[in-house]
Amino acid sequence: MQVRVAAMQMAMSADSHENLQRAEHWVRAAAKAGAQIILPSELFSTLYFCKDQDIDHFALARTKDQDPGVQKMQKLAAELGVVIPVSFFEKAGNCYFNSVLTFDADGRELGLYRKAHIPDGPGYQEKFYFSPGDTGFQVFPSRFGRLGIGICWDQWFPETARILALQGAEILLFPTAIGSEPKAPELNSRSHWTRVMQGHAAANILPVVAANRIGQEMGKDATITFYGGSFICDGTGEIIAMADQEEGFIDATLDLAAIARHRLDWGLFRDRRPDLYGSLCSLDGKPKKRD
Amino acid sequence: MQVRVAAMQMAMSADSHENLQRAEHWVRAAAKAGAQIILPSELFSTLYFCKDQDIDHFALARTKDQDPGVQKMQKLAAELGVVIPVSFFEKAGNCYFNSVLTFDADGRELGLYRKAHIPDGPGYQEKFYFSPGDTGFQVFPSRFGRLGIGICWDQWFPETARILALQGAEILLFPTAIGSEPKAPELNSRSHWTRVMQGHAAANILPVVAANRIGQEMGKDATITFYGGSFICDGTGEIIAMADQEEGFIDATLDLAAIARHRLDWGLFRDRRPDLYGSLCSLDGKPKKRD
């Protein structure tokens, strides 16, 4: 099965309406170029507000049925016949999550995923805003393949990719917002960020699509230059499309049947040793005692 | 803590005595160049006998106290003041393992690890010879750092690297024997092989040392050209030393304290979600029911 995937890369402004207009523009452009699965980056409706701990930013959150970005993307998915995993700031009861709602190519809701791994550090104050996701990892069976979705920081964890692979994912998608480190200007994590996901692809024999934002955003406490570098890699982790720091989209065609055959041939999933993996289910590396 | 590590890369012949003489030569050369941890490749005393299923090859196995390669490397470790993880074909009771015995810089035995993940396929008939290892993953506290050791196929599994990281490994070492695919001559896995380990390094912020063999070996059923490409990468997965297909050794200096600081700063181990990882402990991705 041949599938054409695209990752969008944009700079965002404080004007959400304008961000969504531009997102629509790029979704239409990617669809016109033949993309069947189109991935916007993380929290693409707004600036990356987590630069600061600011109580006022909670006002940006919406329930999944009231978010303007979600609504716009759902309509576009149905109109254009494309699959869109839509990142948004979710309000749910008294809690707030960093979520993705994925729409199938007919606009039907495939399901909600809430970011499991929440970072915290200078410029990336996510633990102030988001509860750690309670949905678990999920694979969504779309018209164009079974999609495993993680959100930004999730992409740093081999567990995310492996669990999605075990659940039968055929493509891994990671909407992202990552850039410079406000307290460590000498550190550029772009290559590190790229390699960790190439590793997930290689270890699970699964293609990866990563969409990052660009632009410089000035907060009260921190300024971040988002480095873009959105990419698509094949099931061996080889980069087959990569953006630098320009706005637009990248795309590539994936042969999911050929990749599945390679995955089977390589035998990795046959040879796992879950009897030895108990310590993965602890933080300190000591297998947890059963109740 | 600055540590100098080396990976050896050799072609092997049917003459074990000659293989060990050359291995000694390269250990001495690496030590003379300042290496403190020296990694020979997998099963470096012999040809890679797993190309065929041949009952006669079991005669190559020895108990850990009787293997000539183990004995020679133990003496060299003590004489030169270097740490050596020694790969050998282990006979233990009625079973046979693909094992590594690691010697500290005074020649003292640090412990035995038996390869957990056993491959099987054209040219790599390891399931015919080796029982899946029963030691579990282990970190060995050597004079020059805490060593996490996996053997060849183990290197393809993110679980190996993660568990060793959780146990406090400071360096991951992978003795290897990998090359061409007898039934798929068009497939060259070298880049795939490299990227999966770069991914382990990047995801765990741990340097990786991989030592592979070179040379063409002709079996009865399969001929393999081992592709070398031994490498050392830093804690972001960036390659800092790499061989091509020449015999010798590569070496690099690692600042374990700086890497540990980066690991702490990045926060990955703080943010894991073991409550969501239960399915990792199953083959089919379904969390196992408790007894």
Side-chain angles (χ1 to χ4, degrees):
Chain A
M1 183 179 173
Q2 302 271 336
V3 173
R4 191 141 186 95
V5 296
M8 284 162 51
Q9 181 168 290
M10 290 168 43
M12 282 63 160
S13 73
D15 180 347
S16 278
H17 180 73
E18 193 267 335
N19 293 333
L20 293 183
Q21 291 298 111
R22 265 187 309 125
E24 176 175 349
H25 168 78
W26 289 116
V27 168
R28 289 187 182 280
K32 195 169 177 186
Q36 295 160 305
I37 301 170
I38 301 174
L39 182 69
S41 66
E42 186 186 23
L43 299 171
F44 64 95
S45 300
T46 64
L47 293 170
Y48 179 71
F49 53 85
C50 313
K51 294 185 294 294
D52 306 304
Q53 295 190 355
D54 184 339
I55 190 76
D56 290 338
H57 290 326
F58 282 98
L60 295 169
R62 295 286 183 278
T63 62
K64 76 182 178 71
D65 300 315
Q66 295 182 321
D67 184 84
V70 168
Q71 291 171 340
K72 184 182 278 284
M73 292 299 133
Q74 182 173 24
K75 280 183 202 148
L76 284 170
E79 178 195 332
L80 302 171
V82 297
V83 174
I84 312 180
V86 186
S87 168
F88 71 110
F89 183 16
E90 183 193 9
K91 177 170 168 50
N94 287 317
C95 277
Y96 294 77
F97 296 99
N98 186 330
S99 301
V100 163
L101 194 60
T102 299
F103 295 103
D104 208 350
D106 55 5
R108 188 175 52 90
E109 200 176 303
L110 281 170
L112 181 74
Y113 167 69
R114 292 170 171 161
K115 185 172 182 172
H117 302 95
I118 310 296
D120 210 52
Y124 301 87
Q125 299 290 338
E126 296 200 17
K127 288 195 198 296
F128 181 75
Y129 297 100
F130 310 126
S131 292
D134 59 352
T135 55
F137 303 102
Q138 295 177 65
V139 169
F140 300 111
S142 82
R143 187 187 295 175
F144 302 117
R146 294 188 298 273
L147 312 184
I149 296 169
I151 303 173
C152 200
W153 199 228
D154 288 329
Q155 74 210 165
W156 289 87
F157 295 80
E159 293 89 348
T160 306
R162 184 61 115 195
I163 291 170
L164 292 169
L166 289 170
Q167 290 184 8
E170 295 176 293
I171 308 172
L172 300 180
L173 300 116
F174 293 106
T176 302
I178 192 168
S180 56
E181 298 296 325
K183 293 281 174 67
E186 77 290 355
L187 180 62
N188 180 345
S189 65
R190 181 176 162 185
S191 297
H192 188 187
W193 173 78
T194 306
R195 280 192 292 265
V196 74
M197 283 182 280
Q198 290 181 277
H200 301 331
N204 295 287
I205 312 194
L206 275 181
V208 168
V209 182
N212 191 19
R213 69 172 64 199
I214 51 173
Q216 188 184 67
E217 299 186 17
M218 273 169 279
K220 290 174 191 164
D221 296 332
T223 293
I224 299 179
T225 302
F226 293 91
Y227 50 62
S230 301
F231 69 89
I232 300 167
C233 67
D234 71 12
T236 72
E238 184 174 343
I239 302 285
I240 53 176
M242 183 180 262
D244 191 17
Q245 292 178 18
E246 66 285 3
E247 179 153 324
F249 67 91
I250 54 168
D251 53 1
T253 297
L254 304 170
D255 184 336
L256 299 186
I259 295 169
R261 190 175 166 83
H262 186 198
R263 192 183 310 121
L264 181 61
D265 186 41
W266 213 239
L268 294 169
F269 289 89
R270 174 194 63 196
D271 294 334
R272 295 177 67 247
R273 292 291 308 276
D275 56 311
L276 301 181
Y277 296 164
S279 59
L280 292 175
C281 294
S282 72
L283 283 169
D284 63 5
K286 297 188 174 71
K288 284 177 84 169
K289 283 187 188 148
R290 295 185 171 195
D291 302 329
Chain B
M1 184 181 174
Q2 302 271 336
V3 172
R4 191 141 186 95
V5 296
M8 284 162 50
Q9 181 169 291
M10 291 168 42
M12 282 64 160
S13 72
D15 180 347
S16 279
H17 180 73
E18 193 267 335
N19 293 332
L20 293 183
Q21 290 297 112
R22 266 186 309 125
E24 176 175 348
H25 169 78
W26 290 116
V27 168
R28 289 187 182 280
K32 195 170 177 186
Q36 295 161 305
I37 301 169
I38 302 173
L39 182 68
S41 65
E42 187 186 22
L43 300 170
F44 65 95
S45 300
T46 62
L47 293 170
Y48 180 71
F49 53 84
C50 314
K51 293 187 295 296
D52 306 304
Q53 296 190 355
D54 184 341
I55 191 76
D56 290 337
H57 291 326
F58 282 99
L60 295 168
R62 295 286 182 279
T63 63
K64 77 181 178 71
D65 299 316
Q66 294 183 320
D67 183 85
V70 168
Q71 291 171 340
K72 185 182 277 285
M73 292 298 134
Q74 181 173 24
K75 280 183 202 148
L76 283 170
E79 179 195 331
L80 302 171
V82 298
V83 174
I84 312 180
V86 186
S87 169
F88 71 110
F89 183 16
E90 184 193 6
K91 177 170 168 48
N94 287 317
C95 277
Y96 293 77
F97 296 99
N98 186 330
S99 301
V100 164
L101 194 61
T102 299
F103 295 103
D104 208 350
D106 55 5
R108 188 175 53 90
E109 200 176 302
L110 281 168
L112 181 74
Y113 168 68
R114 291 169 171 162
K115 186 173 182 173
H117 303 95
I118 309 296
D120 211 51
Y124 301 87
Q125 300 289 340
E126 296 200 16
K127 288 195 200 295
F128 181 75
Y129 297 100
F130 310 126
S131 292
D134 59 352
T135 55
F137 304 102
Q138 294 177 66
V139 169
F140 300 111
S142 81
R143 187 188 294 176
F144 302 118
R146 295 188 298 273
L147 311 184
I149 296 169
I151 303 173
C152 200
W153 199 229
D154 288 329
Q155 75 209 165
W156 289 86
F157 295 80
E159 294 89 347
T160 306
R162 184 61 116 196
I163 291 170
L164 292 169
L166 289 170
Q167 290 185 8
E170 295 176 293
I171 308 172
L172 300 180
L173 301 115
F174 293 106
T176 302
I178 191 169
S180 56
E181 298 295 326
K183 292 282 174 67
E186 76 290 354
L187 180 63
N188 180 344
S189 66
R190 180 175 163 187
S191 298
H192 188 187
W193 173 77
T194 306
R195 279 192 293 266
V196 75
M197 284 181 279
Q198 289 181 278
H200 301 330
N204 295 287
I205 311 192
L206 275 181
V208 168
V209 182
N212 191 18
R213 69 172 64 199
I214 50 173
Q216 188 184 66
E217 299 187 17
M218 273 169 279
K220 289 174 192 163
D221 296 331
T223 294
I224 299 180
T225 303
F226 293 92
Y227 50 61
S230 300
F231 69 89
I232 301 167
C233 67
D234 70 13
T236 73
E238 184 174 343
I239 302 284
I240 54 176
M242 182 180 262
D244 191 17
Q245 291 177 21
E246 65 285 2
E247 178 152 326
F249 67 92
I250 54 168
D251 53 0
T253 298
L254 304 170
D255 184 336
L256 299 185
I259 295 169
R261 189 175 167 82
H262 186 197
R263 191 182 311 122
L264 181 61
D265 186 41
W266 213 239
L268 295 170
F269 289 89
R270 175 195 63 197
D271 294 334
R272 294 176 68 248
R273 292 290 306 277
D275 56 311
L276 301 180
Y277 297 164
S279 59
L280 292 175
C281 294
S282 72
L283 284 169
D284 62 5
K286 297 188 174 71
K288 285 177 84 170
K289 282 189 187 144
R290 294 187 171 195
D291 302 330

